[in-house]
Amino acid sequence: VQLQASGGGVVQPGGSLRLSCTASGFPFYSYSIAWFRQAPGNEREGVVCIDRNAIPTYKQDSVRGRFTVSRDNHANTAYLQLNNLRPEDTALYYCATERDLYCGRNSHPRYRGQGTQVTVSS
C-alpha cells in the first residue's frame, strides 16, 4: 500500500488549496480513505473520511462547509478541497487507509502517506 499526498502550499487567510492523495498497491475503489492533519506541538486529528461509495464523514466541525472531500476511482486518487482557509488550518495533511476501514470509527488506519504541508499566513 502506497499513499502520496500533494498540493499543499502557503496561502493567505481566506485562500484555497486542493490536496490530492494518489494511491497504489491496493484496490482503491473498495477502500475508504481518511484525511488527517497534525500541527507542530499538537496531536494529530482526523479531518474527514470518504468511504468507497464516496460518502464523507467529517471529523471536525470547524471544517464543515469549508472542506470538501471527493474521490476518482479511475485515477486512484482522493481529493481534499480546502476553502476559506484559516491560520488554525496550518498543519501537515496526510491520507491514510487500511482494509475494511470504517469511517464512523475514530481510529488511525494502518497505512499513511508522508503528507503535504499547508500553511495559512498573511
Side-chain angles (χ1 to χ4, degrees):
V1 174
Q2 291 192 334
L3 300 164
Q4 179 63 54
S6 61
V10 180
V11 296
Q12 293 185 341
S16 298
L17 287 170
R18 189 193 196 200
L19 308 184
S20 298
C21 171
T22 303
S24 62
F26 64 98
F28 180 82
Y29 69 92
S30 67
Y31 278 52
S32 299
I33 303 295
W35 285 94
F36 290 81
R37 66 185 180 185
Q38 186 165 19
N42 290 359
E43 293 186 0
R44 69 187 177 208
E45 59 181 14
V47 178
V48 62
C49 181
I50 184 168
D51 70 12
R52 61 182 183 178
N53 295 314
I55 297 174
T57 300
Y58 288 89
K59 303 294 186 178
Q60 299 293 327
D61 288 339
S62 65
V63 307
R64 289 178 186 274
R66 300 190 298 123
F67 292 6
T68 302
V69 65
S70 61
R71 64 189 297 156
D72 182 345
N73 290 339
H74 295 291
N76 283 1
T77 302
Y79 301 98
L80 184 62
Q81 178 69 39
L82 314 177
N83 293 332
N84 192 20
L85 282 161
R86 305 168 180 171
E88 55 264 38
D89 294 320
T90 295
L92 181 72
Y93 286 72
Y94 65 90
C95 51
T97 193
E98 66 184 10
R99 185 177 179 180
D100 295 328
L101 171 63
Y102 174 54
C103 287
R105 186 184 304 121
N106 292 323
S107 61
H108 192 277
R110 179 179 180 183
Y111 304 103
R112 58 161 286 182
Q114 290 189 334
T116 185
Q117 179 67 36
V118 172
T119 301
V120 186
S121 175
S122 56

